[in-house]
Amino acid sequence: QAEELDSSEGDGVLWQGLNNLVLELKSSSSLPIGVVSTVVPDSAHKLFIGGLPNYLNDDQVKELLTSFGPLKAFNLVKDSATGLSKGYAFCEYVDINVTDQAIAGLNGMQLGDKKLLVQRASVGAKNATLSTINQTPVTLQVPGLMSSQVQMGGHPTEVLCLMNMVLPEELLDDEEYEEIVEDVRDECSKYGLVKSIEIPRPVDGVEVPGCGKIFVEFTSVFDCQKAMQGLTGRKFANRVVVTKYCDPDSYHRRDFW
């Protein structure tokens, strides 16, 4: 933790990123947000995120993490001399219940040429984390699970789910919605023939399953795998894209999750 302190003090880049983080969290969350600390205190819910590509900045790493929920504290550890990322970070979520979802969804994810290692930072919680990882993804069934990157459980299908690309409020306007659909179709068509696209839209007073996610059906599993490799970790409207495969039967039943 000394390194966290060392890397955060007097680092203009980090403070600028933090200001943006506080502003974004204030505007996007209904929870009362205080000051988001650069130092994540040791607790059972403190997460370690390793294997981050060095070119990802504070906002990009934070985008990846906030796809599971708002952050209480966040620190991308940087070299105090150069200000460059050291490739690992610490965070804690406002809602401690999403901690396990974030571990399941992000641990093992391929970002560029690196694989993320996401686990509880506290000693003593490691065994619990490892036992969770060692289960097969079939028994886990955790929403947001990056199953393609988890050992023994690739299960690629022809349906790809893209997360952290759109916000529900961006889907309200018909014209904006059609533009997003076309953008997604154009981008995904680079990897193969797109059969269909579903982007669930918000409905007043109703919790719409899959709202905020994008589902793309390809004509072949191979094309879908290419799309996952090409799109995971990419930026779309300044957000880092998170992906997973979806069950085609569920997709055709419009059972989005």
Side-chain angles (χ1 to χ4, degrees), residues 6 32 34 50 57-58 73 169 172 174 182 195 223 229 239:
D6 176 54
N57 63 25
D58 295 78
E169 54 264 32
L172 294 169
D174 289 342
E182 284 313 305
K195 197 171 175 183
D223 288 347
Q229 288 166 8
R239 301 186 191 104

Side-chain angles (χ1 to χ4, degrees), residues 70-83:
L71 294 169
K72 179 179 176 184
F74 168 75
N75 179 24
L76 177 61
V77 179
K78 297 179 181 178
D79 186 299
S80 53
T82 64

Side-chain angles (χ1 to χ4, degrees), residues 12 29 51 64 81 92 100 120 133 138 171 190-191 204 213 232:
S29 172
L64 200 60
E92 185 179 341
D100 287 323
R120 280 183 165 81
I133 294 168
V138 181
L171 305 172
K190 294 174 184 175
Y191 304 98
D204 274 348
K213 296 177 182 177
T232 304

